[in-house]
Amino acid sequence: MSREDVIRQILQRETAGQSLCEATVCGDNVRLLEQACELFGSWETALAYSGVSQSFSENQALSRLKVISRLRYMCHRGYILTAKHNMQRDRAFFNTARRHFGTWRKALRAAGIRPENATGRTASHMDIEMLLDWIRDRSSSGKSMKWTDVCLEYRDIAISIKGRIGSWKQARQTAGRLET
């Protein structure tokens, strides 16, 4: 079996929706696993050469709640959350989210993320004083001042604040509002 044959069989499994978990492949097609390890050094490397996410087996088992948790984590850490970007970055996770929620946008909404905030854009139209005023207005209107809540609702502004001022806590201190 050649490297191309191994890659072709991996892609066929992925397309057919079969598990790419190493343990499952070992039970289903031990020859494929052995050849992949011999030709590529490891199963994970064979998956990488095939363009398949190495975390495929982990993503397959993700529940709806774990997908939501991971999307929120990605949002809070500043990941770009567009469908196109995530389909290329981690296709298995993208497909898992779509399987649970129907579309990527619905998965974002289920996680409490406004889809229009999915891009990596920032509020470049706002200077530092405008950002501080935004914090003051949000605080005085009684809205949550927790980073996680702000990031889910207004990610572009939240990322701009962090990027320009240094941290959410420092921005709140500068704005004169430490409420949580």
Side-chain angles (χ1 to χ4, degrees):
M1 187 180 300
S2 70
R3 289 169 69 100
E4 292 77 17
D5 293 332
V6 169
I7 290 171
R8 187 173 21 264
Q9 286 188 33
I10 289 172
L11 293 174
Q12 286 172 345
R13 286 184 70 89
E14 180 188 33
T15 303
Q18 295 175 310
S19 173
L20 290 175
C21 174
E22 187 171 351
T24 304
V25 174
C26 182
D28 293 349
N29 190 342
V30 71
R31 185 167 187 274
L32 172 61
L33 180 63
E34 288 172 350
Q35 287 295 303
C37 291
E38 182 179 321
L39 295 168
F40 294 96
S42 72
W43 179 248
E44 291 78 20
T45 304
L47 291 177
Y49 272 88
S50 302
V52 175
S53 171
Q54 293 182 27
S55 57
F56 186 87
S57 59
E58 169 194 326
N59 289 327
Q60 246 185 349
L62 288 179
S63 67
R64 289 173 65 94
L65 290 176
K66 287 185 180 181
V67 168
I68 287 171
S69 176
R70 184 164 168 185
L71 285 170
R72 287 180 176 170
Y73 173 85
M74 292 167 63
C75 181
H76 301 150
R77 296 297 184 266
Y79 284 77
I80 296 172
L81 295 174
T82 62
K84 181 179 178 181
H85 185 82
N86 282 278
M87 186 170 36
Q88 293 170 349
R89 189 184 61 76
D90 189 344
R91 186 176 201 91
F93 177 68
F94 176 83
N95 287 338
T96 299
R98 285 188 29 205
R99 181 170 35 87
H100 283 304
F101 299 99
T103 67
W104 183 254
R105 289 178 69 83
K106 287 179 182 177
L108 291 175
R109 283 191 196 107
I113 301 166
R114 292 175 40 205
E116 54 272 16
N117 284 336
T119 67
R121 74 176 197 277
T122 60
S124 57
H125 64 284
M126 298 174 77
D127 62 21
I128 290 178
E129 195 53 45
M130 290 171 75
L131 293 170
L132 294 173
D133 285 342
W134 186 87
I135 293 170
R136 290 181 195 108
D137 290 345
R138 183 173 178 87
S139 178
S140 65
S141 67
K143 294 181 180 174
S144 171
M145 295 302 291
K146 290 171 41 178
W147 165 255
T148 54
D149 295 338
V150 172
C151 190
L152 291 174
E153 289 180 63
Y154 295 99
R155 186 166 184 258
D156 55 342
I157 295 173
I159 297 295
S160 291
I161 289 169
K162 251 187 151 176
R164 293 191 199 154
I165 300 174
S167 72
W168 179 241
K169 182 178 180 179
Q170 184 179 359
R172 288 179 28 223
Q173 288 173 334
T174 304
R177 305 282 187 218
L178 285 173
E179 302 87 21
T180 55

